[in-house]
Amino acid sequence: MMHDVHIIGGGLAGCEAAWQLARRGIAVRLSEMRGTGERSAAHQTDGLAELVCSNSFRSDDDEKNAVGLLHHEMRQCDSLIMAAARIAQVPAGSALAVDRDVFSAEVERRLASRPNLEVVRERVDSLPSSGLTIIATGPLTAEALAASIGAATGADSLAFFDAIAPIVHRDTIDMDACWMASRWDKGETKDYINCPMDKEQYLAFREGLLAGEKMAFREWEANTPYFEGCMPIEVMAERGIDTLRYGPMKPVGLDNPRTGRWPYAVVQLRQDNKLGTLWNMVGFQTKLRHGEQVRLFRTIPGLEKAEFARLGGMHRNTFLNSPLLLDRQLRLKSAPHIRFAGQITGCEGYVESAAVGLMAGLMAAEEMTGGQWVPPPPSTALGALLSHITEDAEASSYQPMNVNFGLFPPLDDVKKKQRKQAYTARAKEALQGWLQTA
Ligand SMILES: Cc1cc2nc3c(=O)[nH]c(=O)nc-3n(C[C@H](O)[C@H](O)[C@H](O)COP(=O)(O)OP(=O)(O)OC[C@H]3O[C@@H](n4cnc5c(N)ncnc54)[C@H](O)[C@@H]3O)c2cc1C
């Protein structure tokens, strides 16, 4: 079958993009390597849109939860993934969880109902040199294609491991305990939030890192080397009492204005998005269990009441430095016939991957029909996610991220307790406006 758009990868993003295109009458070829005898280390079936781990799409609460809001917005856009999830739903309280086999079968059934969509079981080994293409090969993109993407983007811009440092909501940091400064007061601006520690606090913190329960690497991840520069903090702690004080907790050149001296150790946070709502803990990638991270990081002066937009982690994960490489329409700046979608763009999670697939499908449909793509407003969950990936995130520290309210333009004038509902109400109104004009 002749096709207008070639989608590579039949996971959550690729299937959603294919659906959005096909239902607009555009001919699609969807290439999926599973079914040829080949599978990634995490996939266990040949079914499209396989959920590789949990069977949950997380919270379905569209009034107080950012991912629940994303569900709502995707449903408004006739999302395949959300429709199949409804059919496959199993009881899970306020979460949207599914029977994974029923879910995958429903995705396949709906795609098969589209005569202008052909699913081809084949592995693609290089970026196509022409023709509208969407690459949705996910965090475990097959090796040859990953090499081809690396060659097109520059090896430094394609990561094979994430090194996720926790991210804190700025308005939960106690600035009475911290101060803003750059090391040696370099530059005209004070770019870092510095949380000072005395010797006793530092030693107790290091003990906490050593004792804390860690997540193990999966068997197939263990052989993927990570750079020394991205070492987990607990591994640094194991190397010696002072290793952290010579690494991410180095206090030199940081005069604490309250004492006039350098602290014994310091935890630094750096702005993570243009809005200034999210700050990452510099160099704090970790394999500590999430509960341990929250408990231990709240012992850091200034972070006692910290709310985390993201906790730390390290996994096998192929993803692009999207804010640097992609334009506002997810196209590779150096080869605009290639668009990326799903987790490979640096979003994180089943729902976010499908949502980026949905938008990539809409963008490609507009491009095919000569229309002008109008992006969803940044006050919507779709728009906030897209803005983060393509523009707002800090390229130098770009790491995968779930959708969260820290990505939305802030509503500082609304009382904290009412903010989540205010975000979702504003988003729903903005989405309606967008759907009417788009
Ligand atoms: C081990 C692991 C566990 C995870 N657990 C969760 C979780 O519990 N909850 C959550 O929300 N998120 C989880 N994620 C993160 C992420 O949301 C999922 O990986 C999600 O499936 C990403 O969607 P995607 O469409 O981008 O990629 P995928 O769903 O992985 O789809 C990519 C598809 O492309 C195919 N492919 C790859 N290379 C080629 C090629 N060269 N040619 C043709 N086809 C190719 C693959 O076979 C696959 O079907 C996990 C990720 C991993 C790696």
Side-chain angles (χ1 to χ4, degrees):
M1 191 174 94
M2 294 287 285
H3 61 268
D4 301 314
V5 179
H6 186 187
I7 301 178
I8 304 172
L12 291 152
C15 290
E16 184 67 61
W19 174 254
Q20 294 295 336
L21 282 157
R23 64 186 280 274
R24 286 170 173 77
I26 292 164
V28 177
R29 179 187 185 93
L30 177 59
S31 300
E32 168 53 54
M33 75 175 179
R34 286 177 296 121
T36 62
E38 192 142 358
R39 281 181 197 156
S40 82
H43 288 88
Q44 291 181 5
T45 74
D46 291 336
L48 296 179
E50 179 182 333
L51 303 180
V52 286
C53 188
S54 143
N55 66 332
S56 171
F57 291 103
R58 318 203 307 277
S59 173
D60 204 26
D61 174 355
D62 63 8
E63 289 190 354
K64 287 192 188 152
N65 189 289
V67 78
L69 175 66
L70 192 54
H71 292 175
H72 165 84
E73 294 183 6
M74 291 171 72
R75 288 182 184 121
Q76 298 292 305
C77 299
D78 190 24
S79 158
L80 166 72
I81 294 301
M82 282 297 117
R86 200 49 103 205
I87 298 292
Q89 191 166 3
V90 295
S94 61
L96 174 58
V98 298
D99 175 315
R100 65 185 75 234
D101 296 326
V102 175
F103 170 73
S104 169
E106 182 63 16
V107 169
E108 292 215 26
R109 190 188 70 75
R110 289 184 185 231
L111 290 179
S113 74
R114 292 284 163 181
N116 52 337
L117 194 161
E118 187 183 18
V119 177
V120 184
R121 302 294 183 153
E122 61 183 356
R123 195 189 69 208
V124 177
D125 285 341
S126 59
L127 287 176
S129 54
S130 62
L132 275 192
T133 305
I134 299 177
I135 306 289
T137 44
L140 305 172
T141 295
E143 217 172 299
L145 183 61
S148 171
I149 297 169
T153 57
D156 289 352
S157 297
L158 182 70
F160 292 99
F161 234 103
D162 53 35
I164 300 180
I167 289 189
V168 181
H169 289 279
R170 172 70 168 77
D171 59 0
T172 64
I173 301 174
D174 175 10
M175 290 307 291
D176 289 339
C178 323
W179 81 100
M180 301 280 313
S182 296
R183 207 178 291 281
W184 304 114
D185 282 329
K186 271 194 187 147
E188 286 173 13
T189 50
K190 299 176 187 300
D191 290 339
Y192 291 81
I193 295 175
N194 298 284
C195 306
M197 277 187 185
D198 60 25
K199 186 171 181 182
E200 204 179 322
Q201 287 166 329
Y202 170 78
L203 293 176
F205 183 75
R206 176 173 174 267
E207 285 304 317
L209 287 175
L210 296 179
E213 205 187 331
K214 328 266 174 339
M215 290 177 279
F217 279 114
R218 292 163 203 261
E219 198 185 321
W220 46 270
E221 287 177 320
N223 295 330
T224 308
Y226 50 80
F227 299 113
E228 282 279 304
C230 297
M231 199 184 296
I233 43 169
E234 59 277 9
V235 176
M236 278 185 260
E238 273 167 24
R239 292 200 169 175
I241 287 190
D242 284 326
T243 307
L244 284 166
R245 292 205 318 125
Y246 288 104
M249 298 181 75
K250 186 164 65 176
V252 298
L254 288 168
D255 289 322
N256 184 343
R258 292 181 191 90
T259 62
R261 302 171 58 133
W262 300 347
Y264 190 77
V266 75
V267 175
Q268 292 197 297
L269 293 100
R270 185 171 49 214
Q271 188 169 331
D272 201 77
N273 63 344
K274 286 213 172 95
L275 298 171
T277 49
L278 300 174
W279 288 64
N280 74 67
M281 296 172 67
V282 180
F284 264 54
Q285 54 276 358
T286 175
K287 292 284 287 178
L288 280 183
R289 290 203 172 277
H290 283 179
E292 296 274 7
Q293 291 186 39
V294 173
R295 190 189 56 72
L296 189 61
F297 296 156
R298 284 190 181 153
T299 66
I300 297 170
L303 302 189
E304 293 86 350
K305 294 195 173 143
E307 295 292 337
F308 295 90
R310 177 181 83 187
L311 285 160
M314 289 188 83
H315 317 90
R316 233 336 275 287
N317 196 349
T318 310
F319 67 98
L320 296 168
N321 192 336
S322 296
L324 204 64
L325 296 171
L326 304 186
D327 71 8
R328 296 283 279 161
Q329 285 203 39
L330 299 166
R331 290 174 298 208
L332 199 55
K333 288 177 189 163
S334 58
H337 65 289
I338 307 268
R339 194 171 251 115
F340 284 86
Q343 183 127 341
I344 197 166
T345 64
C347 64
E348 170 74 34
Y350 299 149
V351 185
E352 290 84 345
S353 297
V356 177
L358 186 153
M359 289 188 277
L362 296 181
M363 291 165 183
E366 283 294 332
E367 198 167 330
M368 265 310 298
T369 52
Q372 267 298 335
W373 154 259
V374 179
S379 54
T380 62
L382 286 167
L385 196 57
L386 183 66
S387 298
H388 182 73
I389 292 168
T390 57
E391 197 177 36
D392 286 352
E394 179 54 51
S396 60
S397 59
Y398 189 62
Q399 290 288 326
M401 168 91 102
N402 286 123
V403 69
N404 66 81
F405 289 125
L407 303 181
F408 291 57
L411 279 171
D412 294 334
D413 47 340
V414 178
K415 281 204 183 111
K416 213 167 163 192
K417 274 197 169 162
Q418 289 152 6
R419 236 176 253 168
K420 289 179 180 170
Q421 278 112 321
Y423 280 126
T424 57
R426 181 181 67 174
K428 286 176 186 173
E429 201 183 321
L431 188 82
Q432 282 317 314
W434 178 65
L435 288 172
Q436 277 158 20
T437 54

